[in-house]
Amino acid sequence: EAPLGLYFSRDAYWEKLYVDQPAGMPLLYVHALRDVPDEVPSFRLGQHLYSAYRKRLHENNWIRIQEDTGLLYLNWSLDHSSWEKLSIRNGGFPLLTVYLQVFLLPTALREGECQWPGCARVYFSFINTSFPACGSLKPRELCFPKTGLSFRIRENRPPGTFHQFRQLPMQFLCPNISITYRLLGGENLPFRCAPDSLEVSTRWALDRERREKYELVAACTVHMGAREEEVMVPFPVTVYDEDDSAPTFLGGVDSTGATSAVVEFKRKKGTVVATLHVFDADVVPASGELLRRYTSTLLPGDAWALQTFRVEHSPNETLVKVNGSFIRATVHEYRLVLNRSLPISESHALQLAVLVNDSDFQGLGEGTLLLHFNVSVLPVSLRLPSAYSFTVSRRAHHFAQVGKVSVENCQQFTGIHVQYDLQLSSANCSALGVVTSAEDTTGILFVNDTEALRRPECTQLQYAVVATDQSTHRQAQAPLLVTMEGTYMAEEPGCPLSCAVSKRRPECEECGGLGSPTGRCEWRQGDGKGISRNFSTCSPSIKTCPDSHCDAVESSNPNICPQDCLRGSIIGGHEPGERWGIKAGFGTCNCFPEEKKCFCEPEDSQDPLCDELCRMVI
Amino acid sequence: SLASPSSLQGPELHGWRPPVDCVRANELCAAESNCSSRYRTLRQCLAGRDRNTMLANKECQAALEVLQESPLYDCRCKRGMKKELQCLQIYWSIHLGLTEGEEFYEASPYEPVTSRLSDIFRLASIFSGTGADPAVSAKSNHCLDAAKACNLNENCKKLRSSYISICNREISPTERCNRRKCHKALRQFFDRVPSEYTYRMLFCSCQDQACAERRRQTILPSCSYEDKEKPNCLDLRSVCRTDHLCRSRLADFHANCHASYQTLTGCPADNYQACLGSYAGMIGFDMTPNYVDSSPTGIVVSPWCSCRGSGNMEEECEKFLRDFTENPCLRNAIQAFGNGTEVNLSP
């Protein structure tokens, strides 16, 4: 926006024009307000009459303006033939609205460019009749233009006159109708309507940060002979903002003006380390410009810090209560964010400074604010519990889950990649394997050799669990003791490889399948309520399958838990899982992993049919 | 600029001379050496980065003056025509030269729609078998009937299942869908399926929430409409105006749906069909509108934006948004279509 000394109090004005109105008739005043006290407006009209959508209709030969007062008047009567000529240029529409542009001098604006604050449009509705008889005019028409009045006044500017109530053509053509105006709701407010001049002015400079909307009411009384009638219309004034407030802290800082943050288990790139809020009572610059004009710079210092952190800024409009009403303001959120994933070995303590610059600030003092972040980056050491001990059934099938191992605080880890391994420390009874679950940084132990499980000499297995951080190769170790229990029983003949194949409870529970820790599949009875997450199904262990999550063990073989892991087609009423598998199913869901298919169908009714008749028979 | 008068908001300039389409006008211009050289000049003026400085240049101004008298000035485009984008590019290359700064309403580059809603009502009533027992029809779910009618038509079914499967396809846990492809599929659906099917799904009338929720879900709003952040409406409008198609569809919406105080229906020339058509024409662009909730009768539509962060342009922003949320023409047109009444007088 160019620094232009003066501005219009509205961007559009409206007036009616009738055929054959006399030359010399005053039309309306336009008003300009000042930015500095000694400016004097000088008004100039654009050269052309335009139609809606800016089509040039004709050179303006009819309307003139008084350069100093802003009075527009008819210099030449608009007769029928001129009216018709304009109408034809406009496409022959009976309703003809045209506009003129009024500029504030000095400007170097081109004719085509009319933007508030340096230009306003004056719209004229041409009415294809002559001016009606004064007695037939309604009070509403006599008092106010058809379109509502609304004004814009800049804050912190010298007071001035911004409106004039009289409808000049009415007064000119119907001088015998007496009309008076009042401004209601203006007591103690900075507005004044002089009874003699009917001009509305501000009495002192406005401040948007105290009040940004004035909902005044303009009242007009028409005296026609003995009759008196009052008309009221809304008269809203909007105060326009300028950047006169400097940014300030909004809580979250200690006595030294800093906020502290600890980086420990969450070390992933993109982690928000700390957040500071900055308050600014202004609403300019607006959203489109804001990020360009309201800058934040991470001040140079440590090269490590500049490489490791970045600042993210998101502004948000908010409402603040001032003198009982709400006023818009802006809260800026500044987030200190990790710019890279940090290895667990890194350890630092540092202060970061961020310079916030409200570059449009025009008030007294500084428009800048320094944010301080005291950041401690703590190293993470991998620790496993002193010892693990699990039992495993000799009847367990391949991929049966035995237990979980994890380093301390692993649930909180992000950006840390730990891999778990098993080292066999006793005889060659290696029956178990471990896979790392990426989601929660735990290791899942599972049976990977059923033959070793059943060997009589293998009653106890001793392992060392080794957790290794992938980026630093740091390790932790813990002993693991696995005890075999129960006796092996041969599998029923004809059992399927996967539990999920079984469709009914009896055939499910008499067989085992891949992944079953007890050697038997388990039946989950659903609730039978439409397409439900709790559908009936047969699985190796209802603790792990189905749980809408295809875990690290389950994903290693499609036969373990196709309900969670299937990548294929599901036939019947269902809702697909977020990545794969079944999220919800209708009735019973059973699967054929080899064919990559699951079927969800309602359970066949197993209750004996019994109605009123059969009860009577019994 | 803020607040232009209500009587100026519309297409009063439409419909007086059969316009030439801009692709054809471009051919006519190319055949004439004076016109074609001026047109080349103007395109160079507009191609520069600092458009306003270039346009102030004498040669550019002279080119504009000459072209305002050529067939290029009054040319128009048709919705879904062959080479629609090319046609719109030609249209805006002249008209952008004439607008400096942001105009609130822009003239529509599309030809005015002349067909009336009654044609579609007739078809709609054949499908739903109106004239049946009113107690039955009050209970029925018109949006469900509309979906069924679409499924019985090969073309509608094919393009509907196409956009549904594209808009529903999750890319990753953080990316709900491919929004760009979803928008494209929605545009194909609304461009290539006759409006007796598409309007019935989009503007069906509802008595209960389940029906209204189905209506809200028509365009798969979680992909095509909602976003993580709600931008400012004026910023969204600026984004839309950088794209010729979006800009044209928005201008067309303003031309055909602006509230008119001079007509019975509140719509320009009482033409509901034109308003509904230009509303549907914005689906699949940055300014995609939709029902904001599943209220059965309190119909409020809006693009995905708000007026927060407007600064000194708050009034202008709210005026822009009200053309969607509190527009008597659009509301009457949607209700009239849903009720199967040509003219519905609401205050």
Side-chain angles (χ1 to χ4, degrees):
Chain A
E1 221 169 272
L4 190 85
L6 293 148
Y7 66 97
F8 283 104
S9 59
R10 306 165 61 168
D11 71 340
Y13 293 84
W14 292 279
E15 192 51 74
K16 279 183 194 162
L17 276 181
Y18 293 86
V19 178
D20 286 331
Q21 282 178 306
M25 185 180 78
L27 295 166
L28 74 151
Y29 282 105
V30 294
H31 289 93
L33 287 164
R34 285 184 290 262
D35 264 8
V36 287
D38 48 3
E39 284 169 307
V40 178
S42 174
F43 300 98
R44 180 175 65 86
L45 282 184
Q47 287 170 26
H48 294 93
L49 282 171
Y50 293 86
S51 77
Y53 303 135
R54 301 171 306 276
K55 188 183 167 94
R56 263 182 210 181
L57 287 185
H58 202 277
E59 206 163 313
N60 168 30
N61 297 328
W62 298 276
I63 295 158
R64 292 281 173 272
I65 193 165
Q66 278 181 6
E67 230 177 69
D68 48 347
T69 60
L71 174 71
L72 275 80
Y73 60 96
L74 213 50
N75 189 45
W76 201 261
S77 180
L78 194 70
D79 59 19
H80 231 282
S81 71
S82 317
W83 189 90
E84 256 169 18
K85 232 184 276 169
L86 286 174
S87 189
I88 286 164
R89 284 284 288 165
N90 191 37
F93 277 89
L95 288 166
L96 176 59
T97 303
V98 302
Y99 71 84
L100 268 171
Q101 299 173 350
V102 198
F103 295 95
L104 274 167
L105 294 175
T107 68
L109 292 174
R110 282 191 294 134
E111 175 80 344
E113 194 162 5
C114 183
Q115 292 287 320
W116 188 82
C119 178
R121 290 178 179 181
V122 184
Y123 290 92
F124 294 101
S125 310
F126 280 121
I127 295 163
N128 190 13
T129 58
S130 39
F131 191 78
C134 293
S136 71
L137 290 168
K138 294 195 178 72
R140 176 71 178 75
E141 289 175 272
L142 286 163
C143 291
F144 302 107
K146 190 177 77 181
T147 311
L149 303 162
S150 77
F151 302 92
R152 35 180 86 171
I153 297 179
R154 288 177 168 173
E155 65 170 346
N156 309 327
R157 296 291 171 247
T161 300
F162 63 92
H163 182 59
Q164 192 278 123
F165 270 128
R166 260 175 312 201
Q167 299 241 80
L168 303 179
M170 301 291 172
Q171 198 194 23
F172 186 79
L173 297 167
C174 307
N176 296 331
I177 301 176
S178 147
I179 298 173
T180 54
Y181 291 92
R182 286 181 303 141
L183 201 55
L184 305 179
E187 304 82 13
N188 307 319
L189 290 182
F191 303 99
R192 197 175 95 92
C193 175
D196 47 343
S197 68
L198 302 178
E199 284 185 338
V200 188
S201 335
T202 46
R203 296 196 285 172
W204 54 78
L206 307 180
D207 181 3
R208 192 203 65 93
E209 280 74 47
R210 291 179 155 275
R211 185 158 175 184
E212 64 177 342
K213 283 207 162 81
Y214 294 91
E215 303 285 348
L216 306 171
V217 173
C220 162
T221 313
V222 182
H223 312 268
M224 283 164 124
R227 238 173 70 221
E228 207 179 277
E229 228 174 300
E230 191 172 56
V231 184
M232 289 197 267
V233 294
F235 190 87
V237 177
T238 305
V239 185
Y240 272 45
D241 193 26
E242 67 169 9
D243 196 345
D244 57 343
S245 307
T248 55
F249 281 115
L250 187 70
V253 289
D254 61 21
S255 55
T256 62
T259 196
S260 43
V262 175
V263 181
E264 193 174 9
F265 304 123
K266 307 230 176 297
R267 306 175 88 91
K268 193 181 179 178
K269 181 180 178 177
T271 302
V272 177
V273 170
T275 306
L276 269 181
H277 289 101
V278 166
F279 179 78
D280 192 313
D282 295 316
V283 292
V284 288
S287 58
E289 291 271 87
L290 193 60
L291 291 177
R292 208 159 51 75
R293 308 236 176 187
Y294 225 97
T295 57
S296 49
T297 325
L298 196 57
L299 292 186
D302 199 347
W304 184 86
L306 287 180
Q307 199 190 357
T308 308
F309 296 99
R310 67 169 189 268
V311 176
E312 286 180 357
H313 170 205
S314 42
N316 218 336
E317 188 176 293
T318 183
L319 292 172
V320 182
K321 206 167 185 179
V322 181
N323 298 331
S325 63
F326 286 99
I327 289 174
R328 296 174 302 147
T330 311
V331 169
H332 299 264
E333 186 177 273
Y334 290 94
R335 292 182 301 272
L336 190 66
V337 177
L338 281 184
N339 212 14
R340 60 185 180 102
S341 292
L342 292 181
I344 58 168
S345 55
E346 292 214 45
S347 160
H348 268 269
L350 71 159
Q351 188 175 64
L352 280 167
V354 175
L355 181 72
V356 170
N357 184 13
D358 176 3
S359 69
D360 282 357
F361 178 66
Q362 292 154 6
L364 296 171
E366 292 282 316
T368 57
L369 191 66
L370 208 50
L371 314 180
H372 294 282
F373 294 95
N374 291 327
V375 187
S376 314
V377 177
L378 304 178
V380 174
S381 47
L382 299 184
R383 269 192 299 271
L384 284 164
S386 54
Y388 284 104
S389 150
F390 294 108
T391 56
V392 58
S393 164
R394 282 209 161 86
R395 293 174 210 163
H397 283 237
H398 196 189
F399 295 117
Q401 297 192 18
V402 174
K404 276 190 172 191
V405 292
S406 65
V407 292
E408 279 177 34
N409 303 307
C410 71
Q411 304 282 350
Q412 294 183 57
F413 283 7
T414 60
I416 302 175
H417 301 286
V418 176
Q419 186 170 328
Y420 296 91
D421 289 298
L422 289 180
Q423 289 173 356
L424 195 61
S425 37
S426 61
N428 54 349
C429 293
S430 173
L432 299 190
V434 65
V435 286
T436 306
S437 160
E439 294 89 10
D440 57 358
T441 332
T442 58
I444 307 175
L445 299 171
F446 66 97
V447 174
N448 77 349
D449 186 349
T450 46
E451 192 271 325
L453 207 63
R454 292 168 204 155
R455 261 187 268 150
E457 69 271 26
C458 301
T459 52
Q460 269 197 340
L461 307 174
Q462 282 177 15
Y463 289 96
V465 179
V466 182
T468 312
D469 174 60
Q470 294 297 83
S471 68
T472 60
H473 303 292
R474 293 188 181 193
Q475 289 191 331
Q477 277 204 20
L480 164 68
L481 185 70
V482 178
T483 313
M484 310 296 177
E485 57 171 23
T487 48
Y488 172 70
M489 287 191 344
E491 182 72 31
E492 297 270 335
C495 276
L497 184 57
S498 171
C499 291
V501 169
S502 300
K503 203 183 166 185
R504 285 190 189 81
R505 183 166 203 146
E507 69 194 45
C508 171
E509 289 177 340
E510 70 193 23
C511 277
L514 220 54
S516 62
T518 60
R520 286 276 181 271
C521 298
E522 292 180 26
W523 179 257
R524 185 176 84 170
Q525 184 59 43
D527 52 22
K529 286 177 190 153
I531 296 176
S532 161
R533 283 181 165 225
N534 186 16
F535 54 88
S536 298
T537 198
C538 182
S539 98
S541 163
I542 55 176
K543 269 185 263 165
T544 54
C545 171
D547 60 359
S548 300
H549 170 64
C550 185
D551 67 37
V553 175
E554 286 166 358
S555 63
S556 50
N557 186 305
N559 286 295
I560 306 169
C561 184
Q563 293 98 324
D564 285 342
C565 300
L566 181 88
R567 283 190 249 187
S569 55
I570 304 159
I571 294 119
H574 75 281
E575 209 180 306
E578 252 147 53
R579 295 177 73 187
W580 36 68
I582 307 166
K583 189 198 226 168
F586 186 40
T588 305
C589 299
N590 69 324
C591 301
F592 299 93
E594 262 93 47
E595 289 149 57
K596 296 186 176 168
K597 272 185 184 147
C598 289
F599 296 88
C600 294
E601 293 170 295
E603 283 120 302
D604 305 331
S605 176
Q606 273 145 28
D607 301 328
L609 283 167
C610 194
D611 53 14
E612 290 301 314
L613 187 72
C614 88
R615 260 181 233 160
M616 277 167 66
V617 172
I618 292 164
Chain B
S1 72
L2 194 118
S4 69
S6 56
S7 58
L8 278 179
Q9 290 168 353
E12 266 90 0
L13 303 181
H14 271 162
W16 48 285
R17 196 203 303 172
V20 190
D21 90 57
C22 298
V23 178
R24 176 80 190 120
N26 188 33
E27 286 165 11
L28 292 173
C29 179
E32 199 197 311
S33 65
N34 187 32
C35 183
S36 65
S37 76
R38 300 295 179 136
Y39 184 46
R40 265 200 309 278
T41 308
L42 180 72
R43 280 170 46 159
Q44 278 164 2
C45 297
L46 292 168
R49 194 175 282 178
D50 191 1
R51 213 165 50 99
N52 280 339
T53 324
M54 286 298 277
L55 280 172
N57 166 314
K58 265 221 175 74
E59 215 176 315
C60 297
Q61 281 296 302
L64 256 182
E65 295 277 338
V66 170
L67 290 172
Q68 283 193 50
E69 303 301 323
S70 76
L72 281 171
Y73 180 67
D74 280 327
C75 70
R76 293 283 181 276
C77 304
K78 278 199 186 88
R79 273 269 299 278
M81 70 186 279
K82 231 163 109 187
K83 301 180 182 171
E84 180 179 347
L85 185 59
Q86 192 198 337
C87 182
L88 293 170
Q89 277 162 348
I90 295 164
Y91 176 89
W92 287 111
S93 67
I94 302 272
H95 289 261
L96 283 183
L98 296 170
T99 56
E100 285 90 14
E102 294 277 275
E103 283 288 328
F104 197 95
Y105 294 115
E106 294 182 316
S108 169
Y110 290 108
E111 280 180 22
V113 174
T114 46
S115 75
R116 300 300 299 250
L117 203 52
S118 46
D119 303 342
I120 288 178
F121 283 135
R122 225 176 31 247
L123 282 161
S125 62
I126 293 169
F127 283 117
S128 58
T130 43
D133 181 6
V136 175
S137 68
K139 270 188 194 157
S140 67
N141 182 332
H142 291 299
C143 300
L144 188 61
D145 296 344
K148 283 182 193 160
C150 177
N151 281 345
L152 290 176
N153 175 286
E154 261 329 296
N155 185 37
C156 188
K157 183 181 169 185
K158 192 183 84 198
L159 288 166
R160 176 166 176 255
S161 49
S162 159
Y163 83 71
I164 289 176
S165 66
I166 290 169
C167 302
N168 260 337
R169 196 172 300 143
E170 188 178 283
I171 309 286
S172 69
T174 52
E175 217 180 331
R176 270 210 69 107
C177 63
N178 186 328
R179 190 184 178 98
R180 201 179 48 76
K181 283 189 179 165
C182 170
H183 275 174
K184 190 177 173 199
L186 277 168
R187 291 201 298 269
Q188 280 183 348
F189 178 74
F190 285 102
D191 279 350
R192 294 191 196 164
V193 177
S195 51
E196 63 252 37
Y197 295 105
T198 57
Y199 289 12
R200 270 191 86 196
M201 291 175 58
L202 203 51
F203 306 121
C204 42
S205 69
C206 285
Q207 307 293 327
D208 59 48
Q209 208 183 337
C211 169
E213 177 59 14
R214 175 181 280 276
R215 178 172 66 190
R216 193 182 75 83
Q217 289 289 348
T218 305
I219 65 162
L220 282 311
S222 62
C223 176
S224 67
Y225 180 63
E226 290 156 22
D227 213 337
K228 281 181 219 113
E229 311 238 322
K230 242 186 191 180
N232 179 273
C233 294
L234 298 180
D235 294 344
L236 184 65
R237 183 179 69 176
S238 304
V239 172
C240 173
R241 282 183 171 174
T242 58
D243 171 51
H244 285 323
L245 270 164
C246 188
R247 183 174 204 145
S248 308
R249 299 295 171 97
L250 179 64
D252 198 50
F253 171 74
H254 282 145
N256 292 318
C257 289
H258 83 267
S260 170
Y261 299 101
Q262 285 137 1
T263 58
L264 220 53
T265 57
C267 282
D270 290 323
N271 192 341
Y272 282 154
Q273 162 83 16
C275 175
L276 296 180
S278 52
Y279 173 90
M282 285 188 298
I283 293 170
F285 295 96
D286 291 314
M287 202 51 84
T288 298
N290 197 31
Y291 299 92
V292 297
D293 57 26
S294 49
S295 150
T297 50
I299 291 173
V300 179
V301 297
S302 167
W304 187 256
C305 65
S306 83
C307 282
R308 287 161 56 100
S310 295
N312 283 335
M313 304 281 271
E314 195 181 35
E315 290 164 288
E316 176 161 359
C317 181
E318 277 167 359
K319 177 174 147 71
F320 177 81
L321 192 52
R322 272 200 303 274
D323 281 335
F324 293 90
T325 57
E326 291 169 41
N327 182 335
C329 164
L330 180 59
R331 196 184 54 219
N332 289 344
I334 292 174
Q335 278 171 354
F337 184 83
N339 298 341
T341 49
E342 170 79 32
V343 173
N344 175 33
L345 297 181
S346 94

